[in-house]
Amino acid sequence: MSLIKNKINSENLPKHVAIIMDGNGRWAKSRGEDRTFGHKNAINAVRNAINACNEINIPYLTLYTFSSENWSRPAEEVSTLMNLLVETLLLEAEEIFSKGLRMHVIGNLNKLPTLVREQLQRVMDLTKENTKGNLVLAISYGSQNEILEAVKNISSDVKEGKVDVENIDEKLFEDYLYTKNFPPVDLLIRTSGEIRISNFLLWQIAYAELQFLNVLWPDFTKDIFFQCIVDYQNKERRYGLTGEQIQGQ
């Protein structure tokens, strides 16, 4: 049993953890390999994050798998990432299912190759009845585009008389986002030492705790994840209130 895991308070867990999985290229370069070597060796870190969430019963884990901006990377790297995604889904589908996890995908999926879309749909169909937890893959995802699409769709519904402008509030807006069925993010983790959000879940992390780790993604372990949870639990989440107000509730 992990000593760090033993420090976790099971009564104060985040409902939704999101991870920006960064550092594959630098990890590979430090070993004299090309970037694709890093992507291929990142799969174990993904398993570690999923298993850690599953072990302590965190209901939602969102992984930034491929951003809308990543389409601009060299064609060879993009092709490798797409092929790797298909291979990983084929290998991990049964494992995800057996853990009782339901898989969801958010993003502009129309840009994905047909084979990738088919494999994603296959795993979503396979796991759709699972209730132990939720694995959300953000693929071809960009938060600014998501928000713009929500604005366009609300505007269209206002024009058609389906929505009254006076009724537009945060809850209604969230109903037009990819994440409408998910809780807001409580904890955002980014690996690799970079301190930025990179167009990821901008609306959903409004009150999230942010942790930036000096760890390259392929080196991410379950104990690192558990330490992030311990650090999260040591924070006082005030949501704009004072500490005294929170303590008085």
Side-chain angles (χ1 to χ4, degrees):
M1 175 78 71
S2 165
L3 294 177
I4 299 172
K5 183 180 175 182
N6 286 339
K7 297 179 181 179
I8 294 173
N9 175 7
S10 62
E11 302 299 318
N12 182 30
L13 291 169
K15 291 184 176 65
H16 190 170
V17 176
I19 304 180
I20 301 174
M21 306 179 292
D22 193 20
N24 294 341
R26 275 168 284 171
W27 185 89
K29 187 176 180 180
S30 70
R31 288 158 173 76
E33 303 284 352
D34 62 22
R35 295 175 58 83
T36 57
F37 180 76
H39 298 311
K40 291 175 181 176
N41 281 273
I43 304 305
N44 196 51
V46 172
R47 292 193 193 104
N48 288 336
I50 294 172
N51 290 337
C53 269
N54 197 54
E55 285 181 26
I56 60 176
N57 298 315
I58 291 176
Y60 287 86
L61 172 66
T62 298
L63 301 177
Y64 204 4
T65 308
F66 190 86
S67 76
S68 54
E69 290 78 17
N70 286 157
W71 290 113
S72 300
R73 289 190 175 186
E76 182 180 355
E77 182 176 353
V78 171
S79 178
T80 297
L81 285 168
M82 291 296 110
N83 290 333
L84 184 59
L85 180 55
V86 171
E87 291 172 14
T88 303
L89 289 167
L90 287 169
L91 291 172
E92 303 295 328
E94 190 60 39
E95 181 74 9
I96 293 170
F97 174 78
S98 66
K99 283 180 166 41
L101 304 178
R102 181 176 180 180
M103 196 182 84
H104 312 261
V105 183
I106 59 174
N108 182 3
L109 307 187
N110 292 329
K111 295 188 70 173
L112 294 171
T114 301
L115 182 58
V116 175
R117 292 201 306 271
E118 289 175 350
Q119 288 301 326
L120 289 169
Q121 190 61 55
R122 186 182 74 86
V123 181
M124 286 190 286
D125 289 342
L126 175 69
T127 63
K128 65 183 179 182
E129 303 298 330
N130 286 355
T131 58
K132 176 76 189 304
N134 296 272
L135 172 62
V136 185
L137 303 183
I139 303 176
S140 189
Y141 174 87
S143 188
Q144 290 178 327
N145 286 337
E146 177 188 21
I147 291 170
L148 284 173
E149 284 301 312
V151 170
K152 290 176 183 177
N153 290 331
I154 292 172
S155 299
S156 177
D157 283 351
V158 168
K159 188 175 180 179
E160 294 178 14
K162 297 178 181 178
V163 171
D164 189 324
V165 171
E166 298 303 319
N167 292 331
I168 299 175
D169 57 11
E170 289 91 341
K171 179 62 176 69
L172 184 142
F173 187 82
E174 288 168 358
D175 286 342
Y176 285 80
L177 297 174
Y178 296 140
T179 54
K180 63 183 179 181
N181 296 318
F182 312 148
V185 176
D186 296 306
L187 171 62
L188 173 70
I189 300 167
R190 180 174 187 144
T191 57
S192 87
E194 301 292 350
I195 305 176
R196 57 176 178 266
I197 304 303
S198 296
N199 198 16
F200 185 47
L201 299 174
L202 299 177
W203 177 278
Q204 296 85 346
I205 63 169
Y207 279 100
E209 297 297 327
L210 310 182
Q211 296 188 22
F212 300 97
L213 310 180
N214 289 315
V215 175
L216 300 177
W217 178 247
D219 293 326
F220 190 84
T221 65
K222 287 199 295 183
D223 272 352
I224 291 173
F225 183 90
F226 293 145
Q227 185 61 56
C228 288
I229 301 302
V230 171
D231 292 344
Y232 165 87
Q233 293 182 335
N234 288 330
K235 299 286 186 180
E236 184 179 66
R237 305 187 73 203
R238 296 195 293 269
Y239 298 98
L241 302 177
T242 67
E244 290 77 11
Q245 285 176 302
I246 295 295
Q247 292 167 13
Q249 289 180 351

